[in-house]
Amino acid sequence: MSLLEVKNLKKYFPIKKGILSRTIGQVRAVDGVSFTLKRGETLGLVGESGCGKTTVGRSILRLIEPTAGQITFKNQNLLKLEREELRKIRASLQIIFQDPFSSLDPRMNVGQIIAEPIRNHLKVSGNEIRNRVAYLMERVGLHPEHIRRYPHEFSGGQRQRIGIARALALNPLVIICDEPVSALDVSIQAQVINLLAQLQEEMNLSYLFIAHDLSVVEHISDRVAVMYLGRIVELATDKELYQNPLHPYSQALLSAVPIPDPDVQKKKIVLQGDVPSPIDPPSGCSFHTRCPQCIAQCSREEPTLQDMGGGHWAACHLIKG
């Protein structure tokens, strides 16, 4: 049974113009995304910058309000919850932000940052809070004696560990990881990824892991969803997707992943043209303007996400299930 289920999620941002701020168009950031997330599972969400990955994550938490769709968590539709009901359930849904610099309040020390969600959601004594903060700092690889230091006194990797400790403060079930390692050095990325994997195993956490680095996603994910222009075009287990990508866009993305072996020659698929504007997406398949295998049907009909066998889903007219 799924812990989190997203159905036909949409988020359109209005474009306003003039003195009266009339709406003259919409940016279709997320345009009908559906997926499930099981307990203890990691679902990787990948795609080019601007495809709507982060908007999906923030819409699930209602940090931005979705335009349409359904988000079900533990049999509750999050979009129908009132403010106080949503506040209670948010203890189980947390986020790790991409930027470890701007996501931490520079006026608060580390102890205050990690303790803030505990004070807001739990009725516990000050001593219990201090013990919990010290435990969380130790758990993510920080020294508890640094509890009174401020964010500017830490490195980028240490700041991201502070963000992870804050996300763990209320014992969540689901964590949205919004490109949590993209701002870090490669050596630090590996440490943070291994930490997230270890925490998941010990605490049975579920991750929605948003990233554009496909090699990182392969390392941590159980399943991977590929997004293009606000829609999921392919969804499969990590091994299946990386060994047998079906959608032409997925094939192009994976062809760009470098192989650390100079003797292995890899043919790259170079896509022509630019990503279309989400204000005025192409008719039919949104990828047809750049697809090297495009046929006439692609410009007329929008493909639906279909099961191609073995839980491998793809949205392409060229693929037959």
Side-chain angles (χ1 to χ4, degrees):
M1 184 177 177
S2 300
L3 180 63
L4 177 71
E5 186 173 0
V6 177
K7 287 185 178 179
N8 199 29
L9 179 66
K10 297 182 180 181
K11 178 57 184 177
Y12 298 166
F13 292 97
I15 303 171
K16 298 183 181 293
K17 188 177 182 181
I19 299 174
L20 300 177
S21 294
R22 292 181 301 166
T23 300
I24 60 170
Q26 292 180 319
V27 177
R28 299 183 178 186
V30 179
D31 198 12
V33 166
S34 300
F35 61 83
T36 60
L37 183 64
K38 297 177 182 179
R39 186 73 190 269
E41 180 187 35
T42 298
L43 174 65
L45 193 59
V46 303
E48 293 171 288
S49 295
C51 71
K53 306 185 299 295
T54 293
T55 304
V56 169
R58 297 194 177 201
S59 295
I60 291 171
L61 298 175
R62 286 183 61 183
L63 297 179
I64 54 177
E65 289 294 333
T67 303
Q70 182 176 322
I71 303 169
T72 305
F73 175 70
K74 295 177 68 176
N75 298 319
Q76 286 184 286
N77 188 351
L78 300 186
L79 301 188
K80 293 184 178 180
L81 296 181
E82 298 297 331
R83 183 174 180 177
E84 188 57 32
E85 294 175 309
L86 182 62
R87 182 181 178 277
K88 291 177 181 178
I89 209 166
R90 270 195 173 140
S92 298
L93 295 162
Q94 294 293 309
I95 184 170
I96 301 169
F97 293 98
Q98 175 180 357
D99 188 355
F101 299 90
S102 62
S103 63
L104 302 178
D105 190 335
R107 298 167 298 180
M108 300 172 68
N109 63 42
V110 173
Q112 293 169 329
I113 289 171
I114 299 174
E116 186 177 25
I118 303 173
R119 286 198 176 95
N120 288 337
H121 287 267
L122 304 178
K123 294 181 180 180
V124 293
S125 67
N127 190 49
E128 288 176 301
I129 292 175
R130 284 189 292 272
N131 291 338
R132 176 68 176 164
V133 170
Y135 166 77
L136 288 169
M137 289 185 68
E138 219 168 5
R139 189 65 203 80
V140 299
L142 297 172
H143 296 293
E145 56 263 31
H146 296 162
I147 195 169
R148 297 191 183 278
R149 289 189 179 182
Y150 287 82
H152 71 271
E153 299 179 81
F154 293 89
S155 67
Q158 289 173 323
R159 290 180 191 179
Q160 196 60 292
R161 289 173 187 268
I162 296 168
I164 294 171
R166 179 176 58 184
L168 294 173
L170 299 174
N171 292 317
L173 298 176
V174 175
I175 297 181
I176 309 293
C177 303
D178 185 11
E179 303 202 32
V181 297
S182 63
L184 307 178
D185 293 337
V186 175
S187 59
I188 306 301
Q189 286 184 8
Q191 294 176 21
V192 173
I193 289 294
N194 290 336
L195 173 62
L196 290 171
Q198 186 178 358
L199 290 169
Q200 181 179 42
E201 184 177 351
E202 293 176 1
M203 303 175 67
N204 200 23
L205 296 167
S206 299
Y207 293 147
L208 176 62
F209 196 91
I210 299 167
H212 59 263
D213 189 332
L214 292 169
S215 57
V216 169
V217 172
E218 182 183 18
H219 179 72
I220 196 171
S221 299
D222 299 302
R223 291 185 300 142
V224 180
V226 180
M227 280 191 71
Y228 183 80
L229 210 63
R231 297 171 181 168
I232 290 178
V233 297
E234 188 163 4
L235 174 64
T237 62
D238 60 331
K239 291 182 180 179
E240 176 66 18
L241 182 75
Y242 281 80
Q243 293 176 5
N244 183 34
L246 298 179
H247 198 281
Y249 179 62
S250 304
Q251 294 169 0
L253 283 182
L254 291 170
S255 74
V257 177
I259 297 176
D261 187 344
D263 296 326
V264 176
Q265 297 297 320
K266 191 175 184 180
K267 183 180 179 181
K268 290 187 178 181
I269 301 173
V270 180
L271 299 177
Q272 302 299 318
D274 297 323
V275 179
S277 171
I279 299 173
D280 185 24
S283 60
C285 175
S286 57
F287 184 60
H288 86 264
T289 57
R290 304 175 70 199
C291 181
Q293 306 174 41
C294 176
I295 58 177
Q297 184 184 8
C298 299
S299 61
R300 298 193 308 265
E301 300 177 24
E302 179 185 339
T304 58
L305 199 63
Q306 297 184 359
D307 191 351
M308 301 300 169
H312 194 154
W313 298 71
C316 182
H317 293 305
L318 299 170
I319 308 167
K320 304 299 180 183

